[in-house]
Amino acid sequence: MLTMDWKPDKSSDIAVYLQIVSYIRQKIASGDWPVKSQLPTQRALAQAFEVNRSTVVTALEELKAEGLIESTMGSGTIVSNNTWSLLTTNPPPDWMGYVQAGMQLPNIPTIQLINRYEPDPSYIRLGTGELSPILIPTGGMEEVMSGLRGKMTTLGYSEPKGLLALRQAISAHLRTRGIEVSPGSILVVSGALQAMQLISLGILHRGSTILLEQQSYLYSLPLFQSSGMRLVGVGMDQDGIQSEALARQKKLHNGALLYTIPAYHNPTGILMSQERREQVMAVCERDRLPILEDDVYGELWLDEPGPLPLKTRDQNGLVLYLGSLSKTLSPGLRIGWLVGPEPVIERLADVKMQIDYGSSVLSQWVAAEWLSGGRYAQHLTNTRMALRERRGRMCKALDQWFHDIADWSVPQGGFYVWLRLRQAVSMRTLFSKAIAEGILLNPGYIYDQTDSHHLRLSYAYADEEDMERALHTLSRLIHEM
């Protein structure tokens, strides 16, 4: 007997029948409802979902059209297929056509609105994933630039992997993260996003499946999809991505790569435990599943250092490791790094040269100077202290104004509180109402399109008094809704 422990959210902007389609599709994809299993009758489904029978009929017809279920006279309805090619939703126009024409897919409308309004200082940016301008060390940056006088031996194009002085500095810095790597296995990139673009272009086949956390920053970007990749979510719990679910999804969808943010996950803030890291590595080693470890928040622990990166456990060149100065020092530098086996790095360096002929040499010299002395470590100490205070003020405000309508966990690091509203609301309506009040939000549906409960709140960017005022206003809007 198939179990159903879910009901559609009738307050959501997503049509009820589409929510039912998504629920049943997910049950089939996860293997909970295997091929040839019998679905309950239409009447039983309507009672379980608390909807009209006509709504169930519409949902089942959609699933039949996708080839996932079939009905026969006298036998009822059964699951008939669970292959990924049938589980994909119909894409709005032909994405592969866009890619082949050299066109990048557009951002989702909410992201476009956020990008449009963020430069306007009249808006309080309650979801922005970057450091506040007052936390970026402008004075220190000027001193570093002044100190470079006479040190910059070249201002021409750097070699394909990046400025050697910077790669040497990154190599030394990564030892403090437990990672031993030579400069030859490091590629300097213009931030983590470019590294992911290079991977999608340089080493993955079109049509490859990327496994990632069920809620993920990547869902808010068309990056991998624009390169013809498919994204498949893997469930999470309080310890991070679930290793058993990872193994199941790897087998079911023939996953080509695991993309994961184990340290202070974006958007949930979850820190993957040491035990879970060992389990994930064991699954990936057994199933020969490469890992792209995004560790851009890893140095932003607030209470105590978290577990060492997955890369420190890598004995077989399985992990590509991503780091960046965008979250810790300055997004304007546009400096990050990718660490991996040297043949992979050389391949991606070649692709990068075809795209931009190397990252800014000026920025690379500045980054090398920051990482070469004790200045960067002191900056991290100051930043953690400031973020710790900001996190405390946000959580105090949440205790005051959201205690009766939402739940959340206090993050151990990073930028984000993953706020869960106890009662679902129309997040698109809330987003619009907040804009009218001068507040920019990051609603959960940009990380999972069916999410009508979550908000990603950032304590890193907004002025602290503005942040508290915005949270008070947001609480009022939600209570009114």
Side-chain angles (χ1 to χ4, degrees), residues 57-166:
V57 170
T58 303
L60 294 180
E61 290 299 323
E62 183 84 11
L63 291 162
K64 287 178 189 176
E66 294 181 15
L68 293 175
I69 62 174
E70 62 183 30
S71 299
T72 56
M73 188 67 68
S75 300
T77 303
I78 64 169
V79 176
S80 60
N81 210 312
N82 65 355
T83 60
W84 175 248
S85 61
L86 294 177
L87 286 170
T88 52
T89 56
N90 294 327
D94 177 10
W95 282 9
M96 288 302 294
Y98 279 104
V99 174
Q100 290 165 0
M103 295 175 64
Q104 171 78 15
L105 290 172
N107 265 324
I108 63 175
T110 300
I111 296 292
Q112 291 180 359
L113 284 173
I114 291 171
N115 291 339
R116 181 186 308 166
Y117 289 121
E118 276 190 338
D120 187 338
S122 66
Y123 287 92
I124 299 174
R125 294 161 60 173
L126 205 52
T128 295
E130 64 181 88
L131 289 174
S132 166
I134 66 173
L135 297 182
I136 294 176
T138 306
M141 196 68 71
E142 292 173 348
E143 291 177 9
V144 164
M145 291 179 179
S146 297
L148 282 171
R149 185 173 299 161
K151 295 183 180 179
M152 294 185 288
T153 56
T154 177
L155 286 177
Y157 294 121
S158 63
E159 62 180 281
K161 294 179 185 178
L163 189 70
L164 178 59
L166 175 55

Side-chain angles (χ1 to χ4, degrees), residues 263-459:
Y264 319 117
H265 176 262
N266 181 4
T268 67
I270 290 172
L271 174 65
M272 190 184 292
S273 67
Q274 175 131 344
E275 181 181 3
R276 183 62 54 79
R277 290 172 190 242
E278 292 169 358
Q279 293 168 354
V280 167
M281 286 296 297
V283 168
C284 292
E285 288 171 354
R286 183 193 68 206
D287 295 344
R288 300 179 66 185
L289 177 63
I291 300 171
L292 176 56
E293 179 182 14
D294 189 340
D295 196 40
V296 299
Y297 298 97
E299 295 182 299
L300 294 175
W301 52 267
L302 301 184
D303 301 311
E304 60 183 9
L308 292 175
L310 298 174
K311 184 64 178 173
T312 64
R313 299 166 169 80
D314 182 20
Q315 301 298 316
N316 303 302
L318 195 69
V319 180
L320 298 177
Y321 176 86
L322 256 176
S324 174
L325 296 178
S326 294
K327 303 300 182 183
T328 57
L329 182 61
S330 168
L333 273 181
R334 307 310 305 135
I335 292 293
W337 48 86
L338 183 66
V339 174
E342 197 160 342
V344 176
I345 294 301
E346 289 177 353
R347 163 63 177 157
L348 298 180
D350 177 65
V351 176
K352 178 172 167 58
M353 290 297 283
Q354 297 176 53
I355 292 174
D356 67 4
Y357 226 72
S359 301
S360 164
V361 174
L362 281 172
S363 289
Q364 291 186 69
W365 278 114
V366 171
E369 189 74 3
W370 270 99
L371 292 173
S372 295
R375 190 188 300 268
Y376 182 62
Q378 183 58 53
H379 165 72
L380 283 175
T381 298
N382 297 339
T383 301
R384 292 187 194 109
M385 187 181 307
L387 289 175
R388 194 179 303 123
E389 181 178 341
R390 285 166 165 266
R391 178 192 62 178
R393 291 188 68 163
M394 173 170 277
C395 289
K396 182 178 179 181
L398 292 175
D399 287 336
Q400 183 174 359
W401 294 313
F402 288 79
H403 66 276
D404 59 337
I405 57 173
D407 300 293
W408 63 93
S409 296
V410 178
Q412 300 176 58
F415 289 171
Y416 311 116
V417 171
W418 188 233
L419 188 78
R420 184 186 187 279
L421 303 182
R422 294 173 188 166
Q423 182 175 336
V425 300
S426 169
M427 283 294 178
R428 287 168 177 81
T429 301
L430 179 60
F431 179 79
S432 298
K433 287 179 177 289
I435 285 180
E437 297 277 357
I439 301 168
L440 280 177
L441 298 175
N442 280 49
Y445 65 76
I446 66 178
Y447 311 108
D448 179 347
Q449 64 178 352
T450 65
D451 192 336
S452 56
H453 283 273
H454 288 94
L455 293 169
R456 189 190 81 172
L457 301 178
S458 169
Y459 45 80

